[in-house]
Amino acid sequence: MKTFPPSELIINEDGSVFHLHLRPEQLADRVILVGDPARVSTVAAHFDSQECEVSSREFHSITGIFQGKRITVLSTGIGCDNIDIVMTELDALANIDFSTRMEKEEHRTLTIVRIGTCGGLQPFTPTGTFIASVKSIGFDGLLNYYEGRNEVCDLELEEAFRQHMDWSPLKGAPYVAQADPQLIEQIAQDDMVRGITVACGGFYGPQGRQLRLRIQDPDQNKKVEAFEHGGLHVCNFEMESSALAGLSSLLGHRAMTCCMVIANRYTTEMNTNYKNSIDTLIQLVLDRI
């Protein structure tokens, strides 16, 4: 079994993992991820009881019990780079013995659902729509740094997307990660739109927004909206789903992302009061996870 030196697996003096500040015994098998640290308390308000609460930087976590299920809710902040930290450290908490720094003989599988917000890209995804990301196209390039990415990605869709977009090599290769299909069935059921999600490496230029800076491809969003593969359309933009799906697949965990549309880029609508309505999605996930 592998042994991990202090420079690779950084353990704090209190026995917690470096960024998340969680100790192994504080992590539940069911994990809900949210972007906003304040939303952790919103989710945990539904718990019947709370076991522990930890905050460090943008990483805020609460572990508790909801209807007999032990759940950890954890904030990630924004972006696939943060998901790299969160997923790697969650897996370390689950599958590395912190006392010996050795990989555990028996693999522990986590079930992870990200609840987020997104921009809808189709006329059938108005504000308020719940979208389950069956496949996620990563504009960020994160998964390309890991061995085995081809084994967990949809290579046919990747190539079709590159050709459709006339993809510039300056942007780095996009990758297509896939959510756990059984978890999609369990969480999405019949009241979420299922489709392809684009996970962007930024909020402005990478999502086609132009303020003072012009973007490299002004037709990017029109091309994305028109893309279809295997009966799936690109339904939304967000910033984390590809890294979550890809890293979870590589590490042997079950994961998916579901988002509520708060802006529709196709119709240029925006709902700035979304915090009042996302609780419905939170309740659905808690009931089904």
Side-chain angles (χ1 to χ4, degrees):
M1 305 300 289
K2 294 181 182 177
T3 302
F4 306 94
S7 62
E8 309 305 295
L9 174 61
I10 306 171
I11 301 174
N12 299 315
E13 291 184 0
D14 64 355
S16 64
V17 72
F18 186 52
H19 294 93
L20 304 185
H21 278 253
L22 281 170
R23 298 192 304 274
E25 67 272 15
Q26 294 174 318
L27 176 64
D29 288 339
R30 295 177 175 92
V31 181
I32 292 175
L33 300 181
V34 295
D36 185 354
R39 197 174 298 153
V40 170
S41 297
T42 302
V43 176
H46 293 272
F47 289 178
D48 302 309
S49 62
Q50 296 185 17
E51 175 185 315
C52 63
E53 181 170 6
V54 179
S55 290
S56 176
R57 304 185 187 185
E58 61 266 60
F59 308 114
H60 176 204
S61 62
I62 296 176
T63 296
I65 303 295
F66 174 80
Q67 296 181 358
K69 298 179 286 192
R70 187 170 184 249
I71 299 171
T72 296
V73 55
L74 167 67
S75 61
T76 66
I78 297 174
C80 285
D81 51 343
N82 275 18
I83 296 296
D84 183 58
I85 291 171
V86 169
M87 275 308 307
T88 301
E89 295 194 0
L90 286 178
D91 180 73
L93 289 165
N95 290 302
I96 297 176
D97 186 326
F98 276 30
S99 62
T100 63
R101 295 182 168 276
M102 293 183 66
E103 183 177 357
K104 294 178 180 178
E105 292 186 9
E106 184 175 347
H107 182 271
R108 177 185 174 191
T109 301
L110 302 176
T111 296
I112 305 165
V113 178
R114 190 179 96 75
I115 301 173
T117 56
C118 67
L121 294 172
Q122 301 293 340
F124 56 83
T125 58
T127 56
T129 301
F130 298 158
I131 297 177
S133 305
V134 176
K135 297 176 186 286
S136 296
I137 304 175
F139 281 9
D140 56 285
L142 175 69
L143 213 65
N144 299 331
Y145 288 87
Y146 289 98
E147 182 180 350
R149 60 85 80 198
N150 282 2
E151 284 68 41
V152 300
C153 287
D154 186 331
L155 303 182
E156 182 181 326
L157 197 158
E158 281 182 18
E159 181 57 29
F161 185 76
R162 281 197 297 266
Q163 291 186 16
H164 174 81
M165 296 293 294
D166 190 21
W167 192 259
S168 169
L170 294 176
K171 296 178 179 177
Y175 62 92
V176 180
Q178 307 179 74
D180 183 89
Q182 292 182 336
L183 191 58
I184 287 283
E185 292 300 323
Q186 178 181 332
I187 301 295
Q189 297 191 15
D190 59 358
D191 48 14
M192 296 187 191
V193 173
R194 305 183 191 196
I196 301 169
T197 294
V198 169
C200 299
F203 184 78
Y204 289 96
Q207 295 189 31
R209 290 184 173 91
Q210 299 189 77
L211 298 184
R212 292 187 60 240
L213 289 177
R214 299 182 64 184
I215 61 174
Q216 178 265 336
D217 182 359
D219 295 323
Q220 170 189 285
N221 285 16
K222 290 181 180 178
K223 294 177 186 175
V224 170
E225 291 161 8
F227 182 72
E228 182 270 338
H229 190 271
L232 293 175
H233 295 268
V234 179
C235 292
N236 58 326
F237 275 152
E238 52 85 77
M239 297 176 64
E240 291 85 19
S241 62
S242 60
L244 175 60
L247 291 174
S248 295
S249 295
L250 288 173
L251 291 165
H253 302 295
R254 305 169 66 232
M256 66 163 289
T257 292
C258 52
C259 290
M260 185 179 77
V261 176
I262 63 170
N264 188 286
R265 305 297 299 282
Y266 184 87
T267 60
T268 67
E269 297 174 325
M270 177 68 196
N271 174 19
T272 56
N273 294 316
Y274 66 88
K275 293 183 179 180
N276 297 325
S277 51
I278 198 170
D279 200 59
T280 303
L281 179 57
I282 291 170
Q283 185 67 58
L284 281 178
V285 172
L286 284 170
D287 288 340
R288 296 171 182 177
I289 193 172

